[in-house]
């Protein structure tokens, strides 16, 4: 779900898509709800930040004092995917 949200945000010009629209797209595709998608993204961020995983480090460098917001995380994920595509 996080990858789908990041994809929706990354497909659009900066500031053109509301975060809830990305949640809605992921919820629709997964047969879930917007609330579940939002909670799942937050849980993923908590796990990645708490473990300070290589993925989290590649997105944010050093561990920040507090976990990023859902939007900050998803935009960073979208940028990383675009950079990888070249």
């Amino acid at each position: 779900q996080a990858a789908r949200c990041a994809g929706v945000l990354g497909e659009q010009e900066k500031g053109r898509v509301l975060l809830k629209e990305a949640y809605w797209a992921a919820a629709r595709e997964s047969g879930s709800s917007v609330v579940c998608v939002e909670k799942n993204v937050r849980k993923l961020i908590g796990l990645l930040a708490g473990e300070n995983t290589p993925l989290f480090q590649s997105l944010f460098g050093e561990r920040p004092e507090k976990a990023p917001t859902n939007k900050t995380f998803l935009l960073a994920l979208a940028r990383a995917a675009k950079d990888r595509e070249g």
Side-chain angles (χ1 to χ4, degrees):
Q1 291 174 333
R4 180 62 182 130
C5 289
V8 170
L9 291 173
E11 290 170 359
Q12 304 299 317
E13 293 180 35
K14 188 174 182 179
R16 294 266 187 182
V17 175
L18 296 174
L19 189 55
K20 295 290 183 186
E21 291 177 83
Y23 291 158
W24 184 80
R28 184 182 62 219
E29 289 180 10
S30 66
S32 186
S33 71
V34 169
V35 172
C36 285
V37 172
E38 185 173 15
K39 287 179 182 178
N40 289 341
V41 171
R42 173 62 32 213
K43 184 175 182 177
L44 176 63
I45 293 167
L47 291 170
L48 294 174
E51 296 291 324
N52 201 25
T53 64
L55 172 61
F56 191 80
Q57 290 175 7
S58 73
L59 294 174
F60 297 102
E62 294 295 318
R63 184 186 294 186
E65 288 186 27
K66 64 181 190 174
T69 64
N70 285 13
K71 187 171 186 174
T72 299
F73 174 78
L74 292 170
L75 287 172
L77 196 59
R79 277 192 304 276
K82 279 189 175 187
D83 290 348
R84 189 172 184 183
E85 288 176 0

